[in-house]
Amino acid sequence: MIDPEQAHYFSSNADLDSIYPERIRKLSKRHWTPLGVAKKAAQFLAAKPGDKILDIGSGVGKFCLVGGFSCPDQHFYGIEQRRELIEHAEAAQALTGVENVTFIHGDFTRLDVTPYNHFYFYNSFYEHLVESDDRIDDEVDYSEGMYNFNARALYLALDSKPAGTRVVTFHSLLDEMPQGYQLAYSSLGMLLKGWIKV
Ligand SMILES: C[S@@+](CC[C@H](N)C(=O)[O-])C[C@H]1O[C@@H](n2cnc3c(N)ncnc32)[C@H](O)[C@@H]1O
């Protein structure tokens, strides 16, 4: 049960960011989904009660926590490769009291996506294509080959899912979107897109 003090963290993006240490807050504008975007995305993905929604590259957990708070009838999962970010996400979950969220430390390309119904993707593999100033840290081996490998893994995962599967992309180059997903929603000058597999 979330008390009003905990709900306060979801009243503005600045309130949500205030949960995190300064180094993480500084990365927010470039790397973490803003509160308003996360709400719209989660509401599109939360099609049915009980749906399991996966954030591919969940960072410090902003999308999952906003989703869990806004959509109490669904469960939000986030997989994240950087252990430090998982720790920030779990600390934020404890502080906000959102229970319908689970964070998984691991590499998305090794995850079995069978249990998950719908997917959120904030261009997580793009860090392989940008200059070092734009990266979260130096902990990852960056290369165009790794971008292609990750994007291909997500393409195959989404391709394997049944009709009715929903995907939200934010700032995506769309290399990961297979044929068969139709654009059903867009916002923010097409930066935010909602897709449904037919
Ligand atoms: C742009 S951030 C988005 C964070 C979060 N989804 C949000 O919207 O606030 C992308 C995240 O994806 C993670 N990531 C990139 N490739 C990954 C992979 N193969 N497996 C798991 N996490 C990955 C990065 O470490 C980074 O934290």
Side-chain angles (χ1 to χ4, degrees):
M1 190 65 184
I2 296 180
D3 68 33
E5 207 170 301
Q6 289 170 317
H8 169 76
Y9 290 120
F10 297 97
S11 52
S12 76
N13 194 52
D15 286 315
L16 188 54
D17 277 349
S18 75
I19 291 176
Y20 300 99
E22 191 184 351
R23 188 183 91 75
I24 297 298
R25 276 205 306 273
K26 281 190 177 154
L27 294 168
S28 186
K29 192 159 189 273
R30 171 72 184 79
H31 293 281
W32 320 134
T33 302
L35 178 120
V37 174
K39 250 186 210 166
K40 286 183 192 171
Q43 282 162 357
F44 175 82
L45 293 171
K48 284 200 316 294
D51 278 347
K52 294 179 177 178
I53 295 159
L54 178 69
D55 181 4
I56 298 143
S58 51
V60 293
K62 282 181 71 178
F63 168 75
C64 287
L65 293 173
V66 173
F69 176 74
S70 316
C71 306
D73 297 332
Q74 285 75 25
H75 197 102
F76 291 77
Y77 297 81
I79 182 158
E80 169 55 50
Q81 63 186 350
R82 290 174 163 99
R83 159 82 61 198
E84 184 209 350
L85 301 187
I86 287 280
E87 285 166 9
H88 289 301
E90 287 176 344
Q93 181 176 18
L95 202 63
T96 55
V98 180
E99 289 177 352
N100 53 335
V101 170
T102 303
F103 294 109
I104 304 159
H105 177 228
D107 177 356
F108 162 73
T109 63
R110 294 164 181 263
L111 184 75
D112 175 10
V113 295
T114 311
Y116 306 101
N117 304 106
H118 310 295
F119 302 87
Y120 177 69
F121 182 62
Y122 178 6
N123 213 6
S124 296
F125 315 136
Y126 192 61
E127 64 178 346
H128 289 289
L129 302 180
V130 298
E131 298 299 317
S132 56
D133 283 359
D134 256 356
R135 294 174 182 156
I136 294 172
D137 56 31
D138 296 324
E139 299 298 309
V140 170
D141 290 331
Y142 298 99
S143 71
E144 194 179 330
M146 281 308 289
Y147 173 84
N148 291 329
F149 177 77
N150 277 276
R152 180 75 185 155
L154 181 51
Y155 177 101
L156 292 174
L158 295 179
D159 205 31
S160 74
K161 300 304 290 182
T165 301
R166 292 177 176 226
V167 177
V168 167
T169 56
F170 184 43
H171 282 275
S172 170
L173 304 178
L174 303 181
D175 293 327
E176 68 288 343
M177 287 306 297
Q179 296 275 320
Y181 283 84
Q182 282 189 351
L183 188 63
Y185 168 82
S186 72
S187 181
L188 305 173
M190 298 289 283
L191 288 178
L192 185 68
K193 297 190 180 80
W195 308 83
I196 303 178
K197 189 166 183 181
V198 289

